[in-house]
Amino acid sequence: MNKSSESRPRIVHIMGGGLSGMTACTLLQPLDLIKTRLQQQRQDHLAFLREAKKKGLLVSPQQSTLYSTVRDIVSSNGVGGLWRGTIPTLVRNVPGSALYFFALSEIGDVLARTRPTWQRYLYTSSSVEQGKKQWENLVSGAAARGSVGYIMMPITVVKIRFESNFYNYKSISDAFSSIIKNDGFRGLFSGYGATFIRDAPFAAINLSSGVAAGATATCVTQPFDMLKTRMQLKPFIYKNLVQSAKKVFMEEGIIGFFDGISVRLIRKPLNSAISWTIYEEVVRWYTTTRDPSSSL
């Protein structure tokens, strides 16, 4: 963090993060919904085939595709159905993004202020300055995403369930009541381990590198994104990270871990571009308002 960023009030980071989160999640909600449906459908169809086999019925396997998923959603609920789950997504992403950018700024400031006390243990005198900055980005990105992810995990579980077609909650409060009643308070944190493994490295890499590295991070963390979705939708079947991974591998093979990756590869760079552009514009607006000459 430079001096100009340190002088900005915390509310600027919170406002920029909140506005960026609201815009990105509203525009990209259809992609989030489609990804969730793709990640649930393979397991649903395999279960259906097993039941049919027990009854002596021959049912040909079906392949869930991006096109067939969109077609099914639109035919059942209209175009507006692509925005199913937008309200819990907003409840999650607006404060979540605000907290993330705030935490990112605060952690970065702490690292910058304490650099003289710890850098001698990590860096040699010949270390490139850019390399030092990347390590600080890795730490601040992972820490911010991991901590905010834990805070927002209950509404994340509700969001995923709203996006699926397993549950028909009438409201967010109804969803919370149902989850607590059936799964206990622990159910509100289903899949956090997989979420942390997915989000923390991605946030760190995304801050430190370019588009190619971001795409690589998306592919590497995809299995954890899929496992997170399964654990949050069916915690009574997918009980923990290791058991879930074994179950998916035995029933669906390696390919099962990559359900929804095409949508995620589209959504992730768009989300990053929208979020960071709006956040930086808010920060730039504040800087320009305070000092008009800074925009020249």
Side-chain angles (χ1 to χ4, degrees):
M1 292 288 171
N2 54 36
K3 291 181 180 180
S4 62
S5 67
E6 290 175 359
S7 64
R8 298 181 190 118
R10 292 179 173 89
I11 191 63
V12 175
H13 301 290
I14 293 173
M15 287 177 58
L19 183 60
S20 68
M22 180 180 68
T23 306
C25 72
T26 301
L27 293 175
L28 301 178
Q29 177 61 23
L31 293 176
D32 225 15
L33 176 72
I34 294 166
K35 177 178 72 72
T36 298
R37 294 292 177 89
L38 285 170
Q39 290 177 341
Q40 76 175 49
Q41 286 170 355
R42 183 187 296 272
Q43 194 272 337
D44 287 349
H45 188 60
L46 287 174
F48 175 73
L49 290 177
R50 285 194 295 270
E51 287 299 315
K53 187 177 181 180
K54 289 179 183 178
K55 297 177 181 179
L57 301 175
L58 294 178
V59 181
S60 59
Q62 296 177 357
Q63 185 70 31
S64 296
T65 64
L66 180 60
Y67 171 76
S68 65
T69 301
V70 174
R71 182 193 61 202
D72 292 343
I73 294 171
V74 173
S75 63
S76 300
N77 307 108
V79 176
L82 293 170
W83 273 266
R84 175 185 168 90
T86 300
I87 297 302
T89 299
L90 286 170
V91 174
R92 169 187 178 267
N93 282 25
V94 173
S97 294
L99 285 172
Y100 170 67
F101 281 104
F102 168 72
L104 196 62
S105 173
E106 292 296 300
I107 294 170
D109 286 348
V110 170
L111 290 175
R113 288 197 301 268
T114 60
R115 189 179 295 137
T117 63
W118 53 263
Q119 67 177 351
R120 63 178 179 271
Y121 299 108
L122 297 178
Y123 305 137
T124 63
S125 57
S126 60
S127 295
V128 180
E129 187 65 29
Q130 181 63 27
K132 297 179 182 180
K133 186 64 176 176
Q134 286 185 341
W135 275 108
E136 291 178 19
N137 285 339
L138 285 170
V139 173
S140 58
R145 183 64 71 183
S147 57
V148 173
Y150 184 80
I151 294 171
M152 304 307 298
M153 184 52 53
I155 191 62
T156 301
V157 175
V158 170
K159 165 191 170 295
I160 290 293
R161 293 197 178 189
F162 262 94
E163 290 173 347
S164 77
N165 53 11
F166 290 154
Y167 304 91
N168 290 307
Y169 299 129
K170 297 177 182 178
S171 64
I172 294 177
S173 60
D174 178 46
F176 275 113
S177 299
S178 177
I179 292 170
I180 294 172
K181 179 181 178 180
N182 295 315
D183 305 316
F185 281 98
R186 185 176 181 179
L188 295 173
F189 293 87
S190 296
Y192 175 71
T195 301
F196 179 80
I197 296 173
R198 178 199 68 174
D199 284 351
F202 184 88
I205 293 171
N206 200 41
L207 278 173
S208 303
S209 307
V211 175
T216 302
T218 301
C219 294
V220 171
T221 59
Q222 169 61 25
F224 300 102
D225 183 72
M226 191 281 302
L227 291 172
K228 169 200 73 73
T229 300
R230 295 282 182 89
M231 292 167 68
Q232 290 172 343
L233 289 177
K234 295 184 175 181
F236 48 90
I237 296 178
Y238 299 92
K239 299 178 181 179
N240 58 60
L241 186 60
V242 175
Q243 178 265 341
S244 299
K246 288 181 179 178
K247 181 176 177 63
V248 171
F249 180 75
M250 294 299 294
E251 294 181 354
E252 306 168 40
I254 292 293
I255 193 66
F257 290 103
F258 292 90
D259 283 339
I261 190 170
S262 58
V263 180
R264 196 161 176 253
L265 281 169
I266 297 170
R267 182 188 177 280
K268 276 295 183 181
L270 288 175
N271 184 75
S272 295
I274 293 170
S275 298
W276 278 99
T277 298
I278 293 177
Y279 169 75
E280 290 175 354
E281 283 301 316
V282 170
V283 172
R284 186 177 294 112
W285 167 80
Y286 171 80
T287 303
T288 304
T289 303
R290 288 284 302 273
D291 183 9
S293 63
S294 63
S295 62
L296 299 178

